[in-house]
Amino acid sequence: MILFVVSGYGDDATLAFACTKEKTALINHMIYNITDVPDVVSCFTFCALVPKCLSFNFVASKSMCQLNDALAKQYPRDLHHDVNSSGYYDAMEINVY
């Protein structure tokens, strides 16, 4: 599992993104399609900067980052196997005390 973390997100919370499904993509919920994205860390950064972004698909072979306004657990039927996709990444809030 790959995990990215942004600390200082909201009151006493940390925003994290985890690669929950490799070779999958969440469809029907894309709000932005960003091209020429060099790596998954850059895709994570784009998503962290967009308030509506709850998850993202990263397609390394096409240097493409797809920002989504939904989570796979909300729409499990929209999570599809995609051999071109490097992975689907979920956002999650982690409470820090």
Side-chain angles (χ1 to χ4, degrees), residues 43-58:
C43 190
F44 156 74
T45 303
F46 283 121
C47 190
L49 293 172
V50 175
K52 290 183 179 181
C53 186
L54 298 178
S55 65
F56 63 88
N57 308 313
F58 181 66

Side-chain angles (χ1 to χ4, degrees), residues 21-87:
K21 301 285 182 180
E22 292 184 8
K23 302 289 185 196
T24 60
L26 185 66
I27 63 168
N28 301 323
H29 303 283
M30 184 172 48
I31 52 175
Y32 293 106
N33 187 38
I34 306 164
T35 57
D36 298 322
V37 179
D39 51 44
V40 71
V41 175
S42 298
C43 190
F44 156 74
T45 303
F46 283 121
C47 190
L49 293 172
V50 175
K52 290 183 179 181
C53 186
L54 298 178
S55 65
F56 63 88
N57 308 313
F58 181 66
V59 185
S61 64
K62 297 181 181 179
S63 300
M64 186 168 51
C65 176
Q66 301 170 331
L67 306 184
N68 303 311
D69 63 356
L71 298 170
K73 67 182 176 184
Q74 296 170 303
Y75 302 94
R77 291 184 179 182
D78 289 344
L79 191 63
H80 289 259
H81 182 349
D82 183 347
V83 294
N84 295 315
S85 179
S86 298

